[in-house]
Amino acid sequence: MRYRTRVTAPAALLGTVAALSVAAPAHADPETGTPGPETLGDPVFPGLGNDGYRVPAYHLDLAYDATTRLVDATATLTLTTTQELSRLSLDALGLDVHEVLLDGVPAAREQAGEKLRITPAAPLAARTTATVTVTYTADPRAALAHTAWVPTPDGFAICPQPNTAHTVFPCNDHPSDKADFTFRITVPAGLKGVASGHLVSTEDLGDGRTAYCYRSREPIATEIVQITVGDYVIKDRQGPHGLPLRDVVPTARATALEPALALTPNLVSWIEQRLGAFPFETYGLLPCNSDASDAFDFTGLETQTLTLYKPNFLLQAEKSIGSHMMHELVHSYFGNSVSPATWSDLWLNEGHADFYGLLYRYERGWADSLGLTTMEARMKDTYARGDQWRKSSGPVAAPNEANLFDSQRYLGGVLVLYALRQQVGESVFSAIESTFLERFRNASALTDDYIAVASEVSGADQSGFLRDWLYGTRTPRMPGHPDWTVTPVSSALRQPQNRTDGHWHDNSATL
């Protein structure tokens, strides 16, 4: 998981609709009814998500115009209400909304900050199903306060994590509300449209355009959806146990990138031996057609079934990329199959991805960025930094928006997992991992859920032990290593985050 660069917003957000629809008939008055809460109460992003309903399914229909470089789109959301709603809201930013229909009937709309408020003609009853259809235009190049769009010379890709999917499509933009997705991507001649999931159909529209339709077999959190358009070649190969592997590669760089792409089958085989069968219908890499420094500020992003990379990273030797490729692959299990229930639970994603990525590195005999060659040596070094990181970046499972992607969530998370393995033994630790993945597959999980599984599987209450490691302000003693010491806190010690001029950079130890 990488956090993309934030750019400063202009005085007025481009393309943001701020007026009520004038085409709708009389509507329910939200002041006298029960408008849905415009938040899910996330501890890191308190304004993200919306309550009063859930979204079981999205259908996204996007058409890219290579001349204007704009995207005309229709998002169709199937909602199930959890309460009576005189008004509901979606997360939306930078979308030029043309019309909103609720069950086929025009609905009043209002843009308020990053919320698209929708008022039906009559309140929606609790525990009913409704369909919301939003037609809009988006500009992938628009300057917004934050954006998921990655414009490329031949189209775009997207990196929605953690809170920017709603700059691409209106949604309930929180990982606790995972949904089934279908996609229809229409592109002009010479380009391909690709999305998360598997290809269902390809339709020649007879006017030089082609529509590509994709469907996800498993639900997807909005923050890990992938939609991309470009001059691509699709490279298919077979993974272990017949798993279809699909890479989406810039045509001009396909040959140069092949050595990196060819590594995936063995990577999948290695992780399946430790975490079980790959959880999705396909996997592959998307080295999107941009190496620009301002395209996005990360190395890889685990968008579901199709990991996003900058091409230049993948042109390096295997020992320079293999560990991080494993990191992103592990996210298919921790982060994608089992998503964080809140953004405070990010360490479950990043700690696990770095844990297995480092194990893979050391097993292959590759020294890490510190010149260390064993997990024990790296954990001893990380342990010494523990109190400093807790002071400057907070406890592992208690981030805020500013330090969410600090090293504390990555290596700090690895240290927690290492301590648990030391506490319960390797075989019990493996059973905890497999039980957790199976129990919360295709769902979202809290840190408390992991603690409960660890206690259940180990046959002992691990809550005190793990809470000290995850929430304590001082680093606990490491089981099995009574000689390990923590360096006293000093303002001169290096901070765990690595930021320059307000931009985020990779903090994964697998790089």
Side-chain angles (χ1 to χ4, degrees), residues 155-167:
F156 63 84
I158 64 171
C159 51
Q161 194 181 83
N163 63 334
T164 60
H166 60 279
T167 65

Side-chain angles (χ1 to χ4, degrees), residues 270-281:
W270 188 91
I271 199 60
E272 282 194 333
Q273 293 172 28
R274 289 152 181 83
L275 297 179
F278 187 75
F280 301 118
E281 64 268 46

Side-chain angles (χ1 to χ4, degrees), residues 11-263:
L13 296 176
L14 299 180
T16 301
V17 177
L20 289 172
S21 170
V22 296
H27 291 79
D29 181 0
E31 300 305 320
T32 59
T34 51
E38 296 184 347
T39 175
L40 285 171
D42 189 272
V44 177
F45 297 105
L48 198 62
N50 308 272
D51 212 349
Y53 66 89
R54 292 295 180 266
V55 186
Y58 293 84
H59 176 69
L60 304 180
D61 190 339
L62 292 82
Y64 177 69
D65 187 320
T67 301
T68 64
R69 301 181 68 180
L70 299 178
V71 176
D72 289 318
T74 300
T76 303
L77 292 71
T78 302
L79 309 183
T80 55
T81 62
T82 58
Q83 65 175 68
E84 181 185 89
L85 291 174
S86 60
R87 186 182 72 203
L88 62 93
S89 58
L90 301 173
D91 296 304
L93 173 65
L95 307 178
D96 183 6
V97 177
H98 308 310
E99 183 180 48
V100 175
L101 303 178
L102 204 160
D103 289 333
V105 177
R109 68 183 190 271
E110 177 189 18
Q111 190 78 37
E114 298 190 20
K115 302 294 181 179
L116 176 62
R117 293 172 176 165
I118 301 169
T119 304
L124 299 176
R127 295 179 296 281
T128 59
T129 299
T131 299
V132 174
T133 304
V134 183
T135 58
Y136 62 96
T137 299
D139 182 354
R141 299 162 298 165
L144 303 172
H146 53 103
T147 182
W149 294 101
V150 180
T152 62
D154 51 355
F156 63 84
I158 64 171
C159 51
Q161 194 181 83
N163 63 334
T164 60
H166 60 279
T167 65
V168 178
F169 58 99
C171 56
N172 200 24
D173 199 1
H174 195 272
S176 63
D177 195 10
K178 300 172 72 167
D180 295 328
F181 275 82
T182 56
F183 309 86
R184 187 174 190 267
I185 309 167
T186 302
V187 296
L191 300 180
K192 285 187 172 65
V194 186
S196 297
H198 60 281
L199 182 64
V200 175
S201 65
T202 303
E203 181 183 359
D204 184 347
L205 300 181
D207 57 359
R209 298 184 304 153
T210 303
Y212 297 90
C213 297
Y214 292 82
R215 176 180 294 119
S216 64
R217 190 184 69 187
E218 283 84 15
I220 309 177
T222 53
E223 49 102 7
I224 46 173
V225 166
Q226 183 55 256
I227 308 166
T228 186
V229 168
D231 179 8
Y232 293 126
V233 58
I234 310 301
K235 306 191 76 171
D236 296 309
R237 69 191 82 225
Q238 192 172 91
H241 315 299
L243 175 70
L245 299 177
R246 166 202 62 170
D247 298 311
V248 180
V249 193
T251 301
R253 308 182 76 172
T255 300
L257 287 164
E258 177 57 26
L261 306 178
L263 299 175

Side-chain angles (χ1 to χ4, degrees), residues 459-497:
D461 185 359
Q462 303 295 340
S463 58
F465 175 82
L466 283 172
R467 287 185 182 282
D468 284 348
W469 276 96
L470 290 163
Y471 299 105
T473 57
R474 299 293 298 272
T475 305
R477 291 189 177 276
M478 177 61 71
H481 294 289
D483 57 317
W484 285 12
T485 58
V486 179
T487 303
V489 173
S490 167
S491 59
L493 291 180
R494 182 181 177 183
Q495 303 292 316
Q497 63 266 29

Side-chain angles (χ1 to χ4, degrees), residues 300-335:
L301 180 67
E302 66 276 14
T303 45
Q304 193 156 308
T305 71
L306 195 59
T307 294
L308 179 67
Y309 283 102
K310 284 186 178 178
N312 277 348
F313 173 76
L314 297 173
L315 295 177
Q316 301 176 85
E318 180 184 1
K319 66 179 181 180
S320 298
I321 62 175
S323 180
H324 194 68
M325 289 177 69
M326 180 59 71
H327 171 110
E328 299 300 345
L329 176 59
V330 170
H331 276 313
S332 293
Y333 298 82
F334 292 96

Side-chain angles (χ1 to χ4, degrees), residues 6 106 140 188 195 253 259-260 285 300 339 344 447-448 450 468 481 496:
R6 292 181 181 272
R253 308 182 76 172
L285 309 187
S339 299
S344 289
T447 295
D448 280 351
Y450 187 82
D468 284 348
H481 294 289

